[in-house]
Amino acid sequence: MYKVSDLLGKPLLSLSEAQLLGTIGNIYFDDKMTKGTFIMLYTDEEELRFLPLNKLINIENDAAVVKNCEDLSEHAEGLKNPINSHAFNQDGKALGTIKDIVMDGTKVVSFTLENSSISSGNLVSAGKLLIFNDSGKPVKLKPTQKKEKPLPAKKEVEFPVKTAFAPSYDFLLGKKLQRTILSVDGKIIAREGENVTGDIIEDAKREGKLVILALNSL
């Protein structure tokens, strides 16, 4: 068995590569705080690297030892460490702050507080705090049921009501007619050479000659 503090600050030696991979800076644990998951290393280039804790084959001497560096990575998921977290018992009594953790391989054996230690078997729950049962009686907790939020009702997409689009012919204003525009009954709407005015546009619209007006205005 060993303490987490025994590992911190040790160099990590890879046998296959015959090199030091970095210095152990931290150890991380699973959500239930029952086992260690990752070692965090500081490299000589001041970069962070992570290695599964179960890859350690020896920690008793000047350097911790792994066979090779093939599982070394730049990222790791779910990094949690309870050291410096506050601990309470089942009745809300403050037990102190977690100062160290005793391990057996990757398994958590006990937690060390300021003036005492408590077995991992007494751990009831772990989050931002650690809750222990020191009553000698079993404490059963019902996991919080996460309520699924109802999906928001689908909103019907409202499309704008289709309306007849009446294009504007104001762009014709001031243009010169290239031919005389006549109504169906032969009435002159506009004469060749005239500049298009608003009245001419309205007359052409009324007589159904707007397209002819546009085609002959320059």
Side-chain angles (χ1 to χ4, degrees), residues 123-138:
L123 183 64
V124 175
S125 60
K128 292 183 178 179
L129 307 170
L130 271 67
I131 309 298
F132 294 94
N133 174 20
D134 59 3
S135 68
K137 300 177 182 179

Side-chain angles (χ1 to χ4, degrees), residues 107-128:
K107 181 182 177 181
V108 174
V109 175
S110 64
F111 297 86
T112 303
L113 293 92
E114 287 97 332
N115 302 309
S116 63
S117 65
I118 189 165
S119 169
S120 61
N122 291 76
L123 183 64
V124 175
S125 60
K128 292 183 178 179

Side-chain angles (χ1 to χ4, degrees), residues 3-93:
K3 294 179 180 179
V4 166
S5 58
D6 294 337
L7 274 181
L8 302 185
K10 272 194 176 185
L12 183 65
L13 173 66
S14 172
L15 299 181
S16 295
E17 288 77 21
Q19 70 177 44
L20 295 175
L21 302 178
T23 302
I24 298 175
N26 214 337
I27 295 178
Y28 295 101
F29 299 82
D30 65 350
D31 289 342
K32 295 181 178 179
M33 300 299 162
T34 58
K35 65 179 181 179
T37 54
F38 287 97
I39 302 166
M40 184 189 76
L41 300 173
Y42 294 104
T43 69
D44 291 339
E45 293 77 22
E46 298 184 353
E47 297 173 331
L48 298 183
R49 293 291 185 269
F50 299 91
L51 189 77
L53 181 61
N54 61 11
K55 296 300 178 181
L56 289 180
I57 59 174
N58 197 304
I59 61 172
E60 296 175 359
N61 296 304
D62 298 317
V65 182
V66 292
K67 289 183 179 179
N68 54 57
C69 65
E70 64 182 14
D71 292 305
L72 198 64
S73 62
E74 296 181 0
H75 305 284
E77 297 290 333
L79 301 180
K80 296 184 178 182
N81 186 314
I83 292 178
N84 294 323
S85 296
H86 295 293
F88 289 81
N89 74 358
Q90 72 288 339
D91 296 320
K93 179 183 176 181

Side-chain angles (χ1 to χ4, degrees), residues 157-169:
V157 179
E158 295 183 3
F159 294 96
V161 178
K162 291 185 178 180
T163 57
F165 175 66
S168 171
Y169 283 83

